[in-house]
Amino acid sequence: MEAQNGEVAALVQKIAGLHAAIAKLPSLSPSPDVNALFTSLVMACVPPSPVDVTKLSPDGQRMREELIRLCSDAEGHLEAHYADMLAAFDNPLDHLGRFPYFSNYIDLSKLEFDLLVRYIPGLAPSRVAFVGSGPLPFSSLVLAARHLPNTLFDNYDRCGAANDRARKLVHADKDLNARMSFHTVDVANMTDELGKYDVVFLAALVGMAAEDKAKVVAHLGRHMADGAALVVRSAHGARAFLYPIVDPEDIRRGGFDVLAVYHPDNEVVNSVIIARKMDAHAKGLQNGHAHARGTVPIVSPPCKCCKMEANTLQKREEMATMTELSI
C-alpha cells in the first residue's frame, strides 16, 4: 500500500509539473514546445495507474480541472490545424493518416461499434447523431466508412468554424458527402430532432464539469426516442487528467439503462459507456427501485473487448438484492 501511495504521489507530482509548464505556454497552437509537453502528458497518463482522481486534494482537483480545459483547448487547435492542412488536398479523406492520433480514432470507433453490436443485438441504425463532432469528425468518418455504410450521420457542434472545416473534408467523397451533415447548435437547444436518432454519440469534452455532463445526459434522456442507444466517452485512472469522468449513475438518473462500461488498457484513451433510453414504464420501475437481478448484464471475463466496470456491476447487483428483499 505504501509503495502504491508513493507511485500515485510521484505521478501526481509529475502531472502537476507538466500542467505548470503547459499553463505558461504563450499559445496552445501546434509547435515543438506544445507538442513535446502534451506528448509527455499523454505518455504519463495512459499507462495503467492506481490513482483515483476523486481522492485528490482540493489543489489537486483544481489542477486537474484546469488541465482538462487546457487539453480541450489544445485539442481544438490541433484539430483545426490538421483540418486546414487536409483541406488542401483534392480528396482530404485519403490523407487522414497524417493526423498523429488517427489510429486511436480507428481503434476507439471499432471498440464503440463492437460494444453496440454486443449489447444491442440487431442494431441497424438508419440515422446517428454525434454531439461535439469538432473540425475533424474522425469518429463519424470512421464509423460511416468502416462500420455503418448505410447510415446517415448528423454532426453537431457549437462552433460554426469547426463545422465549416469539417464539411471541406467530405466534399470530394460522393458517398460520405451525401450521408454526413453538419449543424451549428448547442445540444441544450435540441429537442424534437433528438427523437429521430437510433444512436447518439456524446463526445468526451461536451460538458467538462460533472454537473454539466449530467445536465446534458438528462436533456438527452428527455428527448431521445425510447430504445435509442447512447454512447458516452469517459475516462479512468490517470487518463482522467486528460478527459472528464462520467458517473454511470448520472446516466441512469438521466433515464437510461446502463448496459456496459469499458476501460481500455491499450492506447485508446477514452473509456466507453453504452446505455439505452428507457421507456416511461421502465423508468418508473427504475425510480421505484423495482429492478430484477436478471436485468444486470454479465460479461464473460475472457471477452476483453466487452469488459464490465466491476464496481458499477456490484452497485446494481446490490440494488437488485435490496429490491428483492423489500418486495
Side-chain angles (χ1 to χ4, degrees), residues 47-322:
S49 168
V51 66
D52 181 352
V53 298
T54 65
K55 297 180 180 178
L56 293 173
S57 67
D59 286 344
Q61 293 287 1
R62 284 190 291 271
M63 179 273 290
R64 172 180 169 263
E65 291 169 2
E66 183 179 347
L67 186 57
I68 290 175
R69 287 193 293 271
L70 289 168
C71 288
S72 174
D73 290 345
E75 185 173 307
H77 285 296
L78 182 69
E79 291 191 2
H81 172 79
Y82 275 91
D84 291 341
M85 176 192 296
L86 293 170
F89 293 100
D90 290 338
N91 189 345
L93 299 185
D94 291 339
H95 304 275
L96 297 182
R98 291 173 177 265
F99 187 74
Y101 304 111
F102 181 54
S103 61
N104 182 292
Y105 284 94
I106 292 176
D107 294 341
L108 176 57
S109 297
K110 183 179 187 304
L111 170 63
E112 290 172 331
F113 176 76
D114 289 346
L115 288 169
L116 276 170
V117 170
R118 178 177 177 87
Y119 285 99
I120 307 181
L123 179 71
S126 61
R127 201 173 197 103
V128 164
F130 197 99
V131 179
S133 49
L136 274 181
F138 280 133
S139 296
S140 290
L141 293 172
V142 173
L143 286 164
R146 301 189 178 207
H147 304 294
L148 296 169
N150 300 310
T151 302
L152 299 177
F153 281 76
D154 288 338
N155 299 280
Y156 292 94
D157 200 282
R158 295 186 300 179
C159 178
N163 286 324
D164 290 340
R165 286 185 165 100
R167 289 187 190 96
K168 294 177 182 178
L169 300 180
V170 299
H171 73 89
D173 187 292
K174 184 177 180 180
D175 172 55
L176 290 182
N177 192 45
R179 290 195 290 126
M180 301 192 79
S181 60
F182 301 89
H183 311 272
T184 302
V185 64
D186 189 322
V187 64
N189 297 323
M190 297 170 61
T191 54
D192 294 344
E193 59 266 47
L194 289 169
K196 65 185 178 183
Y197 298 112
D198 304 299
V199 184
V200 173
F201 289 82
L202 184 61
L205 294 173
V206 175
M208 287 189 285
E211 58 271 20
D212 294 333
K213 183 79 73 172
K215 289 178 182 177
V216 172
V217 170
H219 180 78
L220 294 173
R222 286 191 294 271
H223 299 288
M224 284 174 59
D226 292 345
L230 176 65
V231 181
V232 181
R233 294 176 180 176
S234 181
H236 182 68
R239 301 171 188 215
F241 285 101
L242 305 173
Y243 291 101
I245 294 175
V246 181
D247 186 347
E249 285 301 298
D250 285 338
I251 296 178
R252 185 190 64 80
R253 284 189 288 267
F256 295 89
D257 186 17
V258 177
L259 304 178
V261 181
Y262 176 78
H263 298 310
D265 56 7
N266 55 13
E267 289 76 17
V268 175
V269 176
N270 291 115
S271 299
V272 178
I273 302 174
I274 304 295
R276 196 169 195 174
K277 170 71 184 301
M278 293 184 293
D279 59 35
H281 176 66
K283 185 176 180 181
L285 289 178
Q286 184 190 58
N287 290 339
H289 306 294
H291 275 305
R293 181 182 296 275
T295 63
V296 179
I298 304 298
V299 179
S300 174
C303 185
K304 181 179 178 181
C305 71
C306 299
K307 290 180 182 176
M308 192 69 187
E309 183 182 45
N311 60 355
T312 299
L313 179 58
Q314 182 178 354
K315 286 180 182 177
R316 297 184 67 184
E317 288 181 329
E318 289 173 352
M319 184 173 66
T321 301
M322 291 174 63

